[in-house]
Structure formats: C-alpha cells, structure tokens
Amino acid sequence: MKLALLGRKLSHSFSKQIHEMVFDILNIKGTYSLCEVKQSELESFMQDIKDGAFDGANVTIPYKSAVLEYIDEISEEAKKIGAVNSIDKSNGKLVGYNTDYSGFGEMLKHNFIDIKGTDFAVLGAGGAAKGLIAYLSDNGAKNVELYSRDPKKVKKAFDDLSYNCGFSIVPYSKLNIKNRVLINATPVGMYPDVEKSPVASIDLEGCVAVVDLIYNPSKTRLMKFAEEQNVQAVNGLYMLVSQAIKAQEIWQRKILSENLTRYIYNTINPKGQNIVLIGMPGCGKSIIGEKLASSLSMPHFDIDSYIINNYGDIAHLFDGGEEAFRALETRATKHAANETNTVISTGGGVVTRKENMTALAENGTIIFIDRPLDHIVDDIDHDTRPLLDGDRRSVEKLYKKRVDLYDKYSHVKVVNDGTLSKVIKQIERVWKGEEL
Ligand code: NAP
C-alpha cells in the first residue's frame, strides 16, 4: 500500500511515524511518503495519484479545500465542512473524506468530555474550527461561541453550515469562558512560539475544560494556564492519531480496533502510558495490578496502599466522613496519574470524582474489571471495606450506584469471571493494541 501526505511544509509532521506504526503492527507492506507540493504543482500531483503513484493520501495545510476540485466523489462530512484531509482511490476515482471530524469526537470521548448539553467556546475561525463545530452541532452541543479577530470577515465561511445548536461569532473583546469547554483552534502556542497563549490564565477561571488542538509542544502555555486554574487540559495528539486510524480504515476497507488507536497514542505520547484498573471493591484490581505489573516488568502503584501508608487505615479515615476521604483519594490519584509506564490499581470509589478520571485518562488506558457479584461477595473482606456492611444486598446496591460510572469512565471492559491469568492476558492484549 503506497500512501502520501500532501502539504506545503511537513518537516514537523508526526503522521509518517503513526502510519508506519500501523503498517508494522498490522503486518502490512506499505510506505507513507511526505510530499511537499507547491500550489503550482497541485494539479499534477493529484493526477499522479489517479495514475497510480499512490493508493491514497492525507491532505494538510494549505490544501484541504484546494483539493476539492480534483476529487470525483466526496463524503457527507467533508462536503458539509468543505475540506478533505484523506483521499482514497476507489475504482479509478478519487474519493475525499474528512477524518478530522470523527477524530475530534474520539479525542473528547477518550478524555470523558461530554458534548450533549454542553456550552463550547472555540478560538480561531479557520478550517479546523469549521470541522469541529460541525461535529459539536451534530452531536448535541447546547451552544457554540466562535471567537475571531474579525467576526465580520469570517461570517460567510460559517453561514453554510446548518446548526442544531446555538451558534454565534464573537470578537475577543467579549470573551467569556465560564462554564464552557474551551477549544483552541488557532495556531497560537504551537512550536516554536511555545511561550504564547491565545488567552490569559485569569480568563480560564470557571472554565469546564481546555482542549488545545496543538500537540507540539505536548503541554502548551494555554494548557499550563488551565492547570494553574485546576481545569482539565487536553492536547490534540489523540485527535491526530484517531484521524490517522480512521483514514487507515478507509484505505484498508476494514474497521480497526480502538485499542490500536490508544496503543499508538500512548506510545508516541511523551508522557508514556499507564494501565489503570477500576472497578468494584473486591473485583481483583490490586492482585491483578500486582501480577500484571510483574508480567509486563512495570512498576505497580496501588492507590489504596499509598493512602494507607501516607494517611492511615482507610476504615479509620472514613470516620472523618466520606468527603474528607475522597479529597485524600483525589490527591493520591493525581499523584499516581503523574507516573509513567505504570500499572495503577485504584480504589472502588475513584469514579465518584470526574477530576480523578480525567487526570488518569491523560496518559493511561483505563480498564474496568467487571466481576460477577457472587464472586465479590464470597471473597470480600468486609472489615476493611467501609461501604460494604457484610451482605450481598450492600454489594448489589453499591454496584447499581457505580456501574454506570465504571462504564462511563473506562476505555475498555474486561470481565473477571475465570482465572486471574485469563484476565491478565486480556489486559495485555488491550495494552498491545490488539482486539479482545
Ligand atoms: P489556520 O487556518 O492556520 O488558523 C485557524 C484560525 O486561527 C485562523 O483562521 C485565525 O482565525 C486564527 N489565528 C491564526 N493566527 C492567529 C494569531 N496569531 N492570533 C490569533 N488567532 C489566530 O489553522 P487550522 O487549519 O484551522 O488549524 C488550527 C490549529 O489546529 C492549528 O494549530 C493546527 O495545527 C491544529 N490542528 C490539529 C489537528 C489535530 O489532529 N490535532 C487537526 C487539525 C488542525 P481568526 O482570523 O478568525 O481569528
């Protein structure tokens, strides 16, 4: 399979690394060439693809719209956005797609950022903003405010989208990010201008989360400002990997596992990767974590043990009220989330605070270990579990209360209904990017 990336300046691109990893993992004989093309050479490059020089291509700045006139067919979302980032050759025809659209959605999903009913503030009215606003509008956002340096000038480009949510274009003088998810779709802060930020730290007070589409540097000045304000901060690396895997699905004509996306993301993420185990008390997180870590030669961080070693016995800590314990647990969880290439076993209630889970997702694959309740009831030591007072009913009640949270805040579910070695093998497959 011969693939290309078409663009103007490509020396900082991560795409070659990502696509070559895909070829390697899936045992595909393929090449991915970086093709820097001048405007005057665009037509002949597109003809070269048609004539068989490549089986498909990605398209980046500044050609995402310019290629439209050489495309024979166009997918629904690419048509809506008016931009193509992936081209497939099918029966001699060039078909254009926009995988940034779903890649953006996958990035929000991976980081547990809800779209339904949420208000968004988007900075920068370029091509990336148009794609992501279409995605937000198609997926239940409540309201989107788009900030531009010149709202009048960019209005026409956004008029042709049909909106299922509130939408307005606003000047920066009216900036209001409180209770909104902020998305930076400007290049401000990108390498080498790493000291720049499109907004000041103080503007982020009360913001729900910050998503910076930039992935180089991996932590932009804007993301550092978000952390200063205790706001979740996400970079654009997951989107980059996800849009690449979506393009591979088109070229290979098959669905690829989300485990593959996560594996590549975790591998190229400079912060490394953690395996995070969540689930009910008694589901086996600690013992599985210990054995998994030993099998993969990784360190093991058990959050409950960390709390006991640093603050004392858990049942005793609960005497001060559950909220006081949860505050300590959050402190310990954020400490654990900062580890790299570590297996992390969490306490059963870690999912009760979203900030725990967004911190753990930043550089970790979160695995829900689901265990039949009968097994939990048989094995559990009720003396050390403050929320379980000794009978099956209390286990069932807690499970009912928590199961939706375990589902919501995990990337993968593994059922622990057999031997520990079976569970560990399944987790190892997830970790290597394989299908379960
Ligand atoms: P773009 O067209 O170059 O810029 C987007 C908009 O940003 C411009 O239209 C402009 O809007 C605003 N802007 C540009 N320079 C600015 C400055 N100095 N100060 C303030 N605002 C400025 O880029 P794009 O293609 O839309 O991409 C935007 C960003 O997303 C880039 O950093 C790109 O690398 C990133 N991106 C990431 C992924 C990913 O997979 N993670 C995918 C696509 C794009 P106004 O003139 O209206 O203010």
Side-chain angles (χ1 to χ4, degrees), residues 61 64 100 107 123-129 147-151 153-154 172 184-188 190 198 212-215 235-241 243:
I61 295 171
K64 287 185 182 181
D100 284 338
M107 168 177 65
L123 309 180
Y147 290 90
S148 166
R149 292 168 301 175
D150 191 344
K153 193 168 137 202
V154 299
Y172 279 89
N184 178 31
T186 78
V188 180
M190 188 157 67
D212 200 332
L213 297 196
I214 293 170
Y215 46 83
N235 71 20
L237 188 60
Y238 198 92
M239 175 174 172
L240 182 78
V241 177
Q243 63 77 26

Side-chain angles (χ1 to χ4, degrees), residues 77-114:
E77 79 290 338
K79 193 170 168 188
K80 190 177 337 192
I81 301 160
V84 157
N85 80 329
S86 302
I87 298 170
D88 180 43
K89 208 170 70 185
S90 171
N91 300 324
K93 285 184 178 166
L94 298 185
V95 187
Y97 296 86
N98 193 310
T99 65
D100 284 338
Y101 176 84
S102 56
F104 170 74
E106 292 298 315
M107 168 177 65
L108 296 194
K109 194 172 111 193
H110 178 82
N111 289 288
F112 310 129
I113 296 173
D114 297 325

